[in-house]
Amino acid sequence: MPILDPHSFADAEQPQTRHLTLRLTVDFTRRVLAGEAVLRLDRDSGGPLDLDTRSLTIRSVRCGGREVAFTLHEETPILGQKLSLNVPAGESEVTIAYETSPDSSALQWLSPEQTAGKRQPFLFSQCQAIHARALAPLQDTPRRRITYDAELTIPAALTAVMSAGPAAPVGAHTETKVLAFHMPQPIAPYLLALAVGDLEARDLSPRSRVYAEPATVDAAASEFSEVEAILEAAEKLFGPYDWDRFDMLVLPPSFPYGGMENPRITFLTPTLLAGDRSLVAVVAHELAHSWTGNLITNATAEHFWLNEGFTVWAERRIVEAVWGQDAVLLAWANGAKALEGSLSRYGKDSPLTKLKTDLVGVDPDDAISQIPYEKGARLLVLMERFVGRERWDRFVREYMDRFRFSSITSYQFLAFLEEKLPGTPFAVRAEEWLYTAGLPDNAPAFPSAALDAITSLASGFTAGERPAAEVVARWSPGEMVLYLQNLPRVLSSEDCAWLDANLALTGRGNHEILVEWLTVAAGSDYEPAFPRIREVLLGVGRVKYLRPLYSALGRHPRTQALARDCYAAARPGYHGLSRRVVEQVIAGY
Ligand code: BES
Ligand code: ZN
C-alpha cells in the first residue's frame, strides 16, 4: 500500500471522501459533541475503508440504511485509532454515529469563569495539524479535500461560528436552537472549525466582521478596522479573494496560537488587542493563508513550509504595500531573531531545521518552530530577488492558477518553478535549502541603517550604552521589541531595574513587548518582575509566550520554583497543546 501521508491511516487506493455532513449536538454539560458524520465517497465500488479517529466513541456504522461491522483498532501514540470497515458494493455513503471525548485534543471546553463575560461557557476547536480526527471520523490528511455541511444544536442563548458560509437558523426549541452551515469549497480536513459561546459581531466592511465576547467586541472592531485595506492589498498581489467573506473571531485568552486561518472565519488570540493596531500583521498573515495554505495546501505536514514560508512571504508583501518599507524591514529583523532562537533551540544541525522534514514517527505539533516560517520565507525572497520582482509576481499568479484547490509537495513546487523559471532552483541552491539543516550562506539580507542602530545599541548594553529618552520615545512597538530581542539574555538586577524604569516595561499591555521583557527578567532572576510573570502565565495560553517564559525561568532554582508553581495554578485553564509544550520545557530543567 503506497503511503499517502505519514500522519494518516487513509489508504491511497481506497475510495476518497468528497463531502462530509455533520449533525452534532454541543453538550456543555457532558463536554461532548454527539451525533453523526456522513461521509460521501467518490465511488460506489465498495471495499475496505480506513478512517482516522482519536478518542471518539463509535456507536454504529451504517451504509444504505443497514448496519455495517467495524473495527476500532488499538490507540497508537501519535496517529490515534484506525477505524476500519467494509463498504458494501453499490454504496457511496457511510453514516457513523459517534461522540467526542471530553478531553478531545481538537476541542477546548471553557467554564463561564474562564471567559471574559463569566456568564456563559465557551467551546472552540483547533484542528491543525492532525486533530480533526478528534472531532469527527474522517480521512484526516490534507491530500483528501472535502466540502462540508453541518447542523449544530447549541444552547439557545449562545452563538456558533464555523469555517463555512454564515449560519442559517433551522430550528428553535425552548432551550436549544439548530444552526446550519455550508462550506461549498473543498478544504483540507484540518480547516474544519467551530466555536460556540456568547458572541457578538461588529461589521468592519461589507465582507468582513469581527466576532468576540460582548466585553471585547468593541476593542476588537477598533484594533482590526484596517481589514478591508489589507484585503484589497492582498487581492492586488495574489488575485481575487475566493472565499466570499473574511470574518474574524477573537477567542478567550487560552487560545494556543496567535491566529488560525480557518476559512471564512480566522481565529485570533485576544493578545492582539494591544490598543495600538501594532499587531495586525497577524491578520495579514492569516488572510494570506486564503491563497497560500487554503487554496494551495501542503500535501502533508512534512511540506508545512509551503504553507507557512509562503504565507510569511505573502504577509510581508502585504505589510510593505499597506504600511511601507520601514515596517517590512522591521518585520524581517524581528523574524531574524525568532529564526535564530529556533535554530539554537533545535541545534543548527538538527534535521528539524530542514524545510522538507522527515516526520515519520514525529508528532507534527512537536515540529512547529520558526524554521518553516522564517527560513521558508527567506528562500522565496532569494528566488524573488534572483528573477526580479516582476517575473516573480507573474510566477506566483501562475502558481496560484495551476494549483488552486489542490494539495502539493515541495517537489511539485520545485518542478513548477523549474518549468516556469528554468534554472532558478539550481541558481538559488533550492535543494540545499530544502534538504539540509541550518540556514544556507546565501540567505538574503535585509539591510537597514536605522534598525542596525537599534541592534548595536542593544549589544552595547552591558558595556554601559544606554538609549537616550528621546530615542526611546520615538521607537515604534516593533522597534522596542527589536531592542529587547537583542539584549543579552541575562542581566544584573541593576540593569533590569534601569530598563524597567526607563522603558516602562512591566506595565505594558502590548504582549510582544511585555513578554520579550519578562523573558529577560525571568532569565535574570529579577524578583520585582515575578508578580507580572505570574499574571501573564496565568492569564494567557499562547504557546509563543509560554515557551520563552517557562524556558527562561529554568535558569535559576528560585525561578524554577516559580515556574512550577505558576504551572500548577494555570494548568486547568491551559489548552492541551499549551500543557504539552510547558511540560516538555519543565521536564528539561
Ligand atoms: N496555521 C498557523 C497556526 C498553526 C500552525 C496551528 C501549525 C497548528 C499547527 C497560523 O497561520 C500561524 O502561523 N500563526 C502564527 C502567527 C503568524 C503571524 C506567524 C502564530 O500562531 O503565532
Ligand atoms: Zn500561518
Side-chain angles (χ1 to χ4, degrees):
M1 173 195 82
I3 287 195
L4 195 57
D5 181 333
H7 296 112
S8 174
F9 290 115
D11 186 306
E13 280 153 11
Q14 295 177 0
Q16 305 183 21
T17 311
R18 290 288 194 224
H19 184 82
L20 171 70
T21 302
L22 293 174
R23 290 187 201 96
L24 296 171
T25 296
V26 180
D27 183 342
F28 278 100
T29 314
R30 293 176 53 231
R31 296 192 157 185
V32 300
L33 304 179
E36 61 183 25
V38 184
L39 278 56
R40 190 157 77 229
L41 306 174
D42 67 339
R43 57 194 107 132
D44 67 358
S45 51
L49 184 67
D50 296 326
L51 302 174
D52 295 296
T53 77
R54 175 183 277 133
S55 62
L56 300 183
T57 303
I58 307 296
R59 301 248 176 261
S60 70
V61 178
R62 280 172 295 136
C63 291
R66 284 204 315 276
E67 285 232 4
V68 168
F70 64 87
T71 309
L72 190 57
H73 296 259
E74 279 290 292
E75 164 96 33
T76 64
I78 296 168
L79 301 193
Q81 289 177 281
K82 174 157 82 172
L83 174 64
S84 302
L85 54 112
N86 262 295
V87 183
E91 300 295 342
S92 59
E93 255 186 29
V94 180
T95 301
I96 303 169
Y98 75 100
E99 67 181 47
T100 60
S101 126
D103 50 41
S104 162
S105 65
L107 301 172
Q108 190 177 14
W109 299 84
L110 297 173
S111 63
E113 305 74 62
Q114 292 171 302
T115 66
K118 314 271 178 231
R119 288 199 331 268
Q120 297 289 354
F122 201 103
L123 166 68
F124 68 88
S125 68
Q126 169 55 46
C127 289
Q128 197 181 13
I130 54 167
H131 300 288
R133 66 194 62 181
L135 184 69
L138 38 69
Q139 293 169 314
D140 191 11
T141 164
R143 287 189 190 267
R144 295 287 177 258
R145 305 177 79 96
I146 49 170
T147 54
Y148 81 87
D149 284 295
E151 262 182 36
L152 294 185
T153 302
I154 65 168
L158 302 185
T159 305
V161 295
M162 289 193 83
S163 53
V170 291
H173 314 279
T174 38
E175 304 218 320
T176 61
K177 64 184 176 195
V178 185
L179 298 177
F181 299 85
H182 177 55
M183 171 45 96
Q185 291 147 303
I187 59 166
Y190 74 76
L191 293 172
L192 275 172
L194 66 94
V196 184
D198 181 13
L199 297 174
E200 259 182 43
R202 296 280 182 273
D203 282 322
L204 303 173
S205 89
R207 54 177 164 171
S208 183
R209 71 170 65 104
V210 62
Y211 292 86
E213 283 195 68
T216 45
V217 72
D218 287 315
S222 137
E223 200 79 33
F224 305 134
S225 61
E226 294 158 292
V227 65
E228 184 58 32
I230 298 171
L231 263 159
E232 281 164 22
E235 289 190 301
K236 226 163 141 189
L237 287 162
F238 315 124
Y241 179 72
D242 258 318
W243 302 87
D244 189 25
R245 296 194 57 87
F246 180 76
D247 293 334
M248 295 169 282
L249 168 68
V250 177
L251 288 125
S254 65
F255 186 60
Y257 295 112
M260 177 64 213
E261 66 272 25
N262 298 130
R264 301 183 186 216
I265 181 96
T266 275
F267 283 17
L268 297 168
T269 165
T271 61
L272 300 185
L273 305 178
D276 57 10
R277 299 184 189 161
S278 63
L279 307 178
V280 279
V282 176
V283 172
H285 177 96
E286 305 313 335
L287 171 68
H289 273 305
S290 307
W291 290 265
T292 51
N294 298 0
L295 265 191
I296 307 181
T297 309
N298 53 207
T300 75
E302 295 187 337
H303 304 276
F304 182 58
W305 83 274
L306 276 179
N307 273 25
E308 296 301 342
F310 239 112
T311 298
V312 169
W313 170 81
E315 163 205 329
R316 303 231 163 115
R317 288 294 300 270
I318 296 172
V319 166
E320 184 187 317
V322 179
W323 296 284
Q325 188 64 21
D326 289 350
V328 80
L329 285 171
L330 184 56
W332 285 110
N334 292 142
K337 288 307 285 188
L339 177 57
E340 225 176 79
S342 288
L343 286 168
S344 76
R345 175 158 71 88
Y346 285 139
K348 66 175 183 9
D349 298 324
S350 159
L352 287 176
T353 67
K354 299 174 184 181
L355 283 180
K356 155 65 179 71
T357 48
D358 306 300
L359 298 185
V360 176
V362 180
D363 188 325
D365 286 337
D366 292 337
I368 303 175
S369 76
Q370 290 298 315
I371 312 283
Y373 291 80
E374 295 290 343
K375 182 180 174 185
R378 279 163 175 74
L379 170 58
L380 298 169
V381 169
L382 189 59
M383 293 169 176
E384 175 179 1
R385 288 185 184 175
F386 175 72
V387 301
R389 193 170 258 197
E390 208 175 300
R391 286 169 74 205
W392 176 254
D393 285 1
R394 218 175 316 123
F395 166 78
V396 169
R397 291 292 194 105
E398 288 175 320
Y399 172 65
M400 309 244 177
D401 282 345
R402 169 68 181 77
F403 294 111
R404 44 191 281 111
F405 292 113
S406 59
S407 304
I408 69 165
T409 62
S410 307
Y411 328 116
Q412 284 170 286
F413 166 69
L414 276 195
F416 187 70
L417 179 65
E418 176 61 25
E419 180 192 324
K420 295 293 170 187
L421 296 167
T424 306
F426 177 79
V428 302
R429 304 181 353 223
E431 303 216 334
E432 183 184 337
W433 280 78
L434 285 172
Y435 309 123
T436 68
L439 187 67
D441 62 15
N442 63 344
F446 301 89
S448 155
L451 299 182
D452 290 350
I454 295 176
T455 48
S456 70
L457 194 55
S459 334
F461 190 88
T462 22
E465 270 189 70
R466 296 289 180 269
E470 60 278 13
V471 171
V472 173
R474 278 199 304 272
W475 281 343
S476 66
E479 288 172 324
M480 178 68 81
V481 171
L482 186 67
Y483 180 74
L484 297 171
Q485 282 178 314
N486 282 280
L487 287 174
R489 298 294 86 188
V490 181
L491 295 171
S492 69
S493 265
E494 296 70 44
D495 287 346
C496 286
W498 188 93
L499 282 168
D500 201 11
N502 289 276
L503 310 186
L505 294 169
T506 299
R508 298 264 171 171
N510 179 318
H511 277 70
E512 291 293 314
I513 296 175
L514 178 65
V515 172
E516 204 55 53
W517 153 243
L518 292 178
T519 302
V520 173
S524 306
D525 193 24
Y526 181 59
E527 195 175 4
F530 289 1
R532 188 71 167 131
I533 291 173
R534 171 184 293 273
E535 212 176 339
V536 170
L537 295 180
L538 268 69
V540 174
R542 188 175 173 188
V543 172
K544 180 183 182 186
Y545 299 144
L546 299 186
R547 189 196 299 281
L549 276 175
Y550 279 103
S551 301
L553 289 171
R555 278 187 189 266
H556 314 272
R558 180 166 75 157
T559 52
Q560 283 187 6
L562 176 63
R564 292 206 167 86
D565 197 49
C566 288
Y567 182 56
R571 188 180 181 282
Y574 281 170
H575 190 282
L577 285 155
S578 313
R579 288 183 190 173
R580 213 179 130 85
V581 169
V582 175
E583 280 166 22
Q584 281 168 4
V585 170
I586 291 182
Y589 282 179

